[in-house]
Amino acid sequence: EAKVKDLETWKEMLSEWHAKAIAERKAEPGVDLVGLEEDITFRYDDQGRRTTTYRRVRWVVTAEGAEAASVFRTSYEAWHEQKPTMRARVITSDGTEHPLSASSIVESSEGEGPGPLFSDQRLLSAPLPAVAAGCVIEEEATHVDTEPAFLAGTVTRVALNDLIPIEHVVVTIDHPKALPVRHALRSATATPTVTEKDGRKLIRYELTDHIKFAVGADNVTDVYPDPLPPALNTTGATAFSNYSPFGRSGRFIYGRVS
């Protein structure tokens, strides 16, 4: 009972601290949302199955930001993943905590493509409670592989920049030493910390400043997929499939300064 009481007292103190800290903060003009924390963890088992946890904390600055952040979404592919677990809470400016109700999570299909192409990708979405200017939203989604997506390995790309400023980003890769894992950071500067214990390796990237510049290109060699037969081109807008691994629009060069 004493431990529970101490925990409740700590939560009350945290809520009071949160309300005071947010009340004293000022966002840059034109900013509707601020990413306070983004934490992504990839954990692999000996068979190459991956558990991925996405956690983010955002401060809602304006009513427009509240509207943009009012729904929590995540998607998964049932052929190799369990249904993800979703947790979230909204802490309003008075320090009150509003947890996400599991019963409000809705599942729908994202899978129908053009012509005869289908996917089993599923979308989970839930409205967040009490979202308003001045609140802080914490969201966490955990994805667990039932089987490795591909036995030969996969490539995962994490975009550290976003449409909103992010103050603190952490990406962690936790894997058995015997499992070959390669990693690289592009368009930003950070040296990962690497630790080894009990036959596992832990790689941790941490960026604590706003990401200011990003530049790159997709499909540098300007390759196009084979055109669809006219009978399968249901839209008439393009002769190329939306599901080509290098897209349908040829070379794409991008840059961003923020």
Side-chain angles (χ1 to χ4, degrees):
E1 291 180 1
K3 288 183 178 180
V4 172
K5 184 177 180 180
D6 289 344
L7 176 61
E8 293 302 319
T9 301
W10 177 83
K11 288 174 66 178
E12 290 175 5
M13 292 173 59
L14 179 63
S15 296
E16 291 174 4
W17 171 85
H18 156 267
K20 182 175 184 295
I22 294 302
E24 294 176 352
R25 294 191 56 153
K26 291 184 179 180
E28 297 178 5
V31 173
D32 299 316
L33 279 168
V34 175
L36 303 178
E37 183 85 18
E38 188 128 345
D39 194 340
I40 306 169
T41 300
F42 303 102
R43 191 178 195 280
Y44 294 86
D45 67 11
D46 294 334
Q47 283 73 47
R49 293 173 297 198
R50 186 174 73 193
T51 297
T52 309
T53 301
Y54 301 93
R55 177 181 171 269
R56 65 180 180 181
V57 181
R58 295 181 291 171
W59 171 34
V60 178
V61 181
T62 67
E64 290 78 8
E67 182 178 359
S70 62
V71 179
F72 180 19
R73 297 182 178 91
T74 192
S75 61
Y76 73 105
E77 295 174 334
W79 69 274
H80 71 97
E81 289 183 85
Q82 297 178 15
K83 183 177 180 177
T85 59
M86 299 171 64
R87 300 193 306 164
R89 59 177 178 165
V90 178
I91 303 176
T92 47
S93 56
D94 61 357
T96 303
E97 179 179 325
H98 304 266
L100 173 70
S101 171
S103 62
S104 68
I105 301 173
V106 176
E107 183 168 357
S108 58
S109 174
E110 282 193 329
E112 187 171 352
L117 300 177
F118 292 87
S119 165
D120 73 342
Q121 190 163 12
R122 307 290 294 173
L123 174 67
L124 301 179
S125 57
L128 293 169
V131 177
C135 75
V136 166
I137 302 170
E138 180 180 19
E139 300 166 318
E140 182 182 88
T142 301
H143 296 246
V144 179
D145 280 351
T146 54
E147 296 293 336
F150 297 98
L151 293 177
T154 59
V155 175
T156 301
R157 182 165 52 185
V158 178
L160 300 180
N161 58 335
D162 202 342
L163 297 178
I164 66 172
I166 303 174
E167 296 186 351
H168 187 216
V169 179
V170 176
V171 178
T172 303
I173 306 167
D174 180 358
H175 67 93
K177 288 177 62 177
L179 187 71
V181 172
R182 291 184 290 178
H183 55 95
L185 182 66
R186 312 289 187 192
S187 303
T189 302
T191 301
T193 59
V194 180
T195 56
E196 296 183 8
K197 185 179 180 181
D198 298 330
R200 299 190 65 86
K201 180 179 287 189
L202 192 71
I203 303 158
R204 188 174 189 268
Y205 285 95
E206 183 172 9
L207 295 95
T208 55
D209 295 325
H210 294 302
I211 298 171
K212 299 182 182 298
F213 179 75
V215 64
D218 287 331
N219 192 6
V220 177
T221 55
D222 200 27
V223 177
Y224 285 82
D226 294 333
L228 289 171
L232 298 181
N233 185 2
T234 58
T235 66
T238 176
F240 305 117
S241 168
N242 290 326
Y243 295 92
S244 164
F246 36 78
R248 63 182 189 182
S249 302
R251 182 187 298 114
F252 177 71
I253 300 173
Y254 60 89
R256 180 173 183 263
V257 179
S258 61

